[in-house]
Amino acid sequence: MFERNNQNGMQPMRDNHRNSGKMNMGRIKKITIGVAAGIFAGITVSQSMYSLQEDEYAVVQTFGYAQVVETPGIKFKIPYIQNVYKVSKASKQFAVGYNLETDESIDKESFMITSDYNFVNVDFYFEYQITDPIKYFYASEEPEVIVKNLAQSYIRDTVGSHGVDEVLTTGKYVIQSEIKTKLQERMELEDIGIQITNAVIQDAEVPTTEVAQAFKNVEDAKQGMETAINNANADANTRIPAANAQADKIIKDAQAQKEALIAEAEGQVARFN
């Protein structure tokens, strides 16, 4: 009798414990759903807007269709449907022949041969801008790699058509202008949304110290010759006017003496008559 009563008394306690557990599970489930809904709402809000700086383009893609946004400010988009890719309007740089960040030389890029069969190391610095962000994104997979490969090709072709003396001294401006023109014309043909704005020979030297010293001596001699010519021209510009003035004085003195002698002769003739 005691055991039966004891068992009957324990049953309501077990039922209460089960009901309490169900209520806690329901509460946890509601909290979890609420947190998930909050996170989803936050992500949705963040996906609905983006900011654009003055020096940026935005390419907005909607189901494969792309359009460009250029004006700065806070912009809105359709979450989970539209994707936004930002592109800088500022000039970008790359180098051929050396590492732009570490300034370390890259011999396989800089080492080349001139038209007179001399070897030189030439480093180039380029600047470019993205003028059409849609073509930049979709016309090619790696536009920067394409630009650099074409730049290396035109550098070797152009340097190979000039003598070593031009590459190291007098022809640098002509060479870099030719390369910039050729590369920009090719960019227009490739049509990948990039414009070349600058091409500069950063450094040009021969591979050996002895040859480098010989070319330095040649350059020094040329500069000395130009200095001597300039000095001679300056001296000539000083002496010629003085010589002209002296010649003019001599001519005038001779003319005056001539007139005096004629006058004296005429007077003697008059006295004789």
Side-chain angles (χ1 to χ4, degrees):
M1 185 71 182
F2 177 77
E3 290 179 358
R4 186 182 303 167
N5 291 336
N6 189 29
Q7 289 176 356
N8 292 335
M10 289 294 294
Q11 188 65 31
M13 294 180 62
R14 290 178 182 176
D15 292 339
N16 291 336
H17 186 70
R18 288 176 183 175
N19 292 333
S20 176
K22 289 180 179 181
M23 292 176 62
N24 290 336
M25 288 296 295
R27 189 176 302 155
I28 293 172
K29 189 175 181 180
K30 289 181 180 179
I31 293 173
T32 302
I33 293 173
V35 171
I39 293 173
F40 178 78
I43 294 174
T44 300
V45 170
S46 66
Q47 289 284 323
S48 300
M49 62 180 65
Y50 64 95
S51 63
L52 195 62
Q53 304 298 322
E54 290 187 0
D55 60 345
E56 290 179 326
Y57 295 110
V59 177
V60 181
Q61 185 184 41
T62 309
F63 296 122
Y65 172 77
Q67 63 178 359
V68 178
V69 179
E70 297 186 29
T71 56
I74 302 297
K75 308 294 179 181
F76 294 93
K77 68 182 184 70
I78 302 173
Y80 310 111
I81 295 178
Q82 291 182 320
N83 295 317
V84 177
Y85 305 98
K86 296 181 182 180
V87 183
S88 175
K89 297 179 182 178
S91 292
K92 298 178 182 293
Q93 305 83 28
F94 71 91
V96 175
Y98 68 102
N99 188 303
L100 197 58
E101 297 179 356
T102 64
D103 204 33
E104 184 178 355
S105 180
I106 305 175
D107 292 337
K108 66 179 181 180
E109 294 181 359
S110 65
F111 191 74
M112 56 196 73
I113 190 170
T114 61
S115 62
D116 48 3
Y117 304 105
N118 285 289
F119 295 105
V120 291
N121 284 325
V122 185
D123 296 338
F124 265 86
Y125 170 82
F126 290 89
E127 291 181 350
Y128 67 95
Q129 283 184 310
I130 299 170
T131 54
D132 191 325
I134 292 179
K135 292 178 180 178
Y136 174 79
F137 268 113
Y138 300 106
S140 62
E141 291 186 1
E142 297 180 315
E144 282 87 359
V145 174
I146 293 174
V147 174
K148 185 169 182 177
N149 288 339
L150 289 173
Q152 291 185 69
S153 175
Y154 286 123
I155 287 171
R156 293 187 181 280
D157 179 65
T158 306
V159 170
S161 65
H162 291 268
V164 66
D165 189 52
E166 295 176 277
V167 176
L168 297 178
T169 57
T170 59
K172 287 183 177 180
Y173 178 78
V174 173
I175 292 172
Q176 62 193 27
S177 297
E178 288 181 7
I179 292 171
K180 178 187 173 183
T181 301
K182 291 177 181 177
L183 187 57
Q184 179 53 38
E185 289 176 352
R186 183 59 182 272
M187 287 295 98
E188 292 174 0
L189 290 175
E190 294 293 331
D191 200 22
I192 57 176
I194 289 178
Q195 179 181 13
I196 305 300
T197 58
N198 198 16
V200 180
I201 294 179
Q202 199 76 344
D203 192 18
E205 61 183 9
V206 291
T208 62
T209 306
E210 293 79 5
V211 179
Q213 184 60 43
F215 276 102
K216 184 178 183 302
N217 293 338
V218 171
E219 182 65 18
D220 292 342
K222 286 183 178 180
Q223 292 180 357
M225 180 184 69
E226 292 176 359
T227 301
I229 291 173
N230 292 334
N231 292 337
N233 289 333
D235 188 52
N237 292 333
T238 302
R239 289 175 179 271
I240 289 175
N244 289 336
Q246 183 68 21
D248 186 59
K249 182 177 182 301
I250 292 172
I251 292 172
K252 289 181 179 179
D253 290 344
Q255 186 67 30
Q257 186 177 8
K258 172 186 173 183
E259 292 175 356
L261 291 173
I262 291 173
E264 183 179 356
E266 288 178 347
Q268 291 179 359
V269 169
R271 285 194 299 273
F272 177 79
N273 289 335

